[in-house]
Amino acid sequence: MLDHQGWKARAAGLRFRHQAFIDGRFTDAVSGKTFDSINPATGAVLAQVAECDAADVDRAVTAARRAFDDGRWWRKPPAERKAVLLKLADLIRENLQELALLDSLDMGKLVRDAATIDAPGSAHFFQWYAEAIDKLYDEVAPTGPGDLALVRRVPLGVVGAVVPWNFPLDMATWKSAAALAAGNSVVLKPAEQSPLSALRLAELAAEAGLPDGVLNVVPGFGATAGRALGLHMDVDCLAFTGSTATGKRFMEYSGQSNLKQVWPETGGKSPNIVFADCQDLDAAADMAAFGIFFNQGEVCSANSRLYVQDSIREAFLEKLAQRAAAMQPGDPLDPESKMGAIVDERQTQGIMRFVEAGKATARLVTGGNRVTMEGKGCFVQPTIFADVTQDDPLARDEIFGPVLSVIGFQTEDQAVAMANDSIYGLAASVWTDDLSRACRVAERLHVGTVSVNTVDALSAQTPFGGMKQSGFGRDLSLHSLDKYTALKTVWIKYRT
């Protein structure tokens, strides 16, 4: 791991890819327009990135369709496709520092986290799906003599992927690795706040041997490029991670166009329930802090609602306040920093509106201020509110920042009822040393993932996604391949 000066020196020497990547080459937007990619820690412009719109999306979809129709990718033997994606995983590891810096500079996350979690995770997920390619079997249905019924799993065609800014490289990987492994072509639209790592990923994919047109990247804005992708008549599937409102919009686009499949993974307001029978409250406090302050709280499954049994609530709050005090924001390029910058000015102001309103409705335990580094940047202190009511916006709305709402409870039934009292159902955590309670509560929580005695557990082997208005898409695991394939029955009559 580089030190602070080492990361700064490495950042100074970066070359940013700023054009769209369509049909195997970098290209300007048809309109010639660009937008600024801004470092939220300093306000500096990193690059002027091609501003793609409907014309560019159409070029990318046309290239993706052509690549799919001629079979240059999906008709390759499984071993050859596997080798390409394994090579891409290796290239991500070889360029790990660069990719970590791109995400850190682009959206403000700690370079330490990007280098030890995000970029290695991206390589791991490409490797995992590559290794799955030649281990997926079709089926033979039971029939009578003279009939052979094959159930084939086939790629859909052109997959549009619209990904958020909080984990730019990882989210691009979660969508594209599975879609490519299934044999599809992909048109990827990264968030306008964080396009740089997706563009570099496409370049590395080409270097790994992915044929032209199979992976295309169109940076741009949601209202133009995102909308065009959602409405395009030749996109077969749209995979999306982002806000609930935008997820609903993509489903409307599907109905207005070609009835394309839409797989939304949307908002969250995840509860974390700490029972008094939890024997290791220090571990629970460590993970409760991590669950809301990691990545500046810009995590869809962040444990932003903390329910603590009344008998231990004040003692637990004291532990949390100590941990928050030790997690103050700093330069994202300094490995010693505990929190980075908020992605942009708009998001920072939105977080602070929640904080200022919360000061009038709840008890501010710690934090609550916007800060700067040498007079610059979008930084918010880790903030904890206590005595929050269940109907307070602090407890109901997705803030997407380092703001924790603490609510007390007396009984298990009360905790479960409050935890489920949300339009979201992405994730939840439960802390208890009672195995029966852990199983009982996990069963009753209406969420996609329940983490017991930890927070936000995930792996390549397990599906990630939610219920209710957190959407019904699923990333990771073999189950995610269901999103990017269709079942085709081939029925053969033969002479007996």
Side-chain angles (χ1 to χ4, degrees), residues 214-238:
V214 177
L215 176 60
N216 308 272
V217 180
V218 285
F221 294 90
T224 49
R227 181 176 184 273
L229 200 55
L231 287 169
H232 203 288
M233 295 294 291
D234 211 19
V235 172
D236 300 293
C237 170
L238 196 292

Side-chain angles (χ1 to χ4, degrees), residues 4 9 20-21 67 71 77 103 270 322 353 368 378 395 398 448 485:
H4 190 192
F21 191 84
D103 277 1
S270 298
Q322 293 170 358
R353 282 195 292 272
C378 300
E398 186 176 36
T485 54

